[in-house]
Amino acid sequence: MDQSHPTFFDHGSDHVQAVLMLEALKQCGLLAVADRAPLAGGVLSAMRVGFHAYGEFGSDIELDAREAEPPRAGADRAVAGLGAERLVNAQAVQDGQVITDADLVFRADWRKAPEES
């Protein structure tokens, strides 16, 4: 990690910033659906994130993201996976422990509301 990055490390820190973890999981999630038409170049439209432990410097953090089946009808709309959306489950693991996990929803066209899909 480039700890001189002006956005992610705008002040001294003894752990990996949460905003950096969010960006890493978003990018990993985009890679998980990159070959799915029409999502090439898709945008993040919703997320649910859990932070379980600090990411520590000096030890690798492994990222994993996989496309998930959309929840059943009536489930939370933020992760409903409707229309041209794709639901991705992602996690960051350090030293065998999940430190952050997320459900990410990517849309092909951010200008359309889910009802218009």
Side-chain angles (χ1 to χ4, degrees):
M1 286 171 258
D2 179 6
Q3 294 181 40
S4 68
H5 191 284
T7 301
F8 295 127
F9 295 96
D10 63 348
H11 61 279
S13 179
D14 62 350
H15 62 275
V16 179
Q17 301 292 330
V19 69
L20 180 58
M21 295 303 304
L22 292 175
E23 180 63 22
L25 290 174
K26 180 191 89 169
Q27 289 185 28
C28 190
L30 274 171
L31 287 173
V33 294
D35 62 343
R36 300 284 190 153
L39 274 179
V43 296
L44 180 65
S45 64
M47 74 170 87
R48 180 180 302 134
V49 182
F51 293 98
H52 310 291
Y54 285 110
E56 302 295 342
F57 296 124
S59 182
D60 289 344
I61 296 175
E62 297 177 16
L63 303 174
D64 183 54
R66 299 172 192 272
E67 187 168 3
E69 292 295 320
R72 296 185 307 273
D76 182 350
R77 183 177 190 152
V79 293
L82 301 172
E85 296 180 340
R86 294 289 186 267
L87 173 63
V88 174
N89 300 126
Q91 64 180 10
V93 177
Q94 188 173 46
D95 298 328
Q97 178 185 5
V98 175
I99 58 173
T100 307
D101 61 3
D103 296 322
L104 310 165
V105 178
F106 293 97
R107 290 191 60 75
D109 186 349
W110 60 268
R111 294 167 291 190
K112 292 182 181 178
E115 296 82 20
E116 299 174 354
S117 296

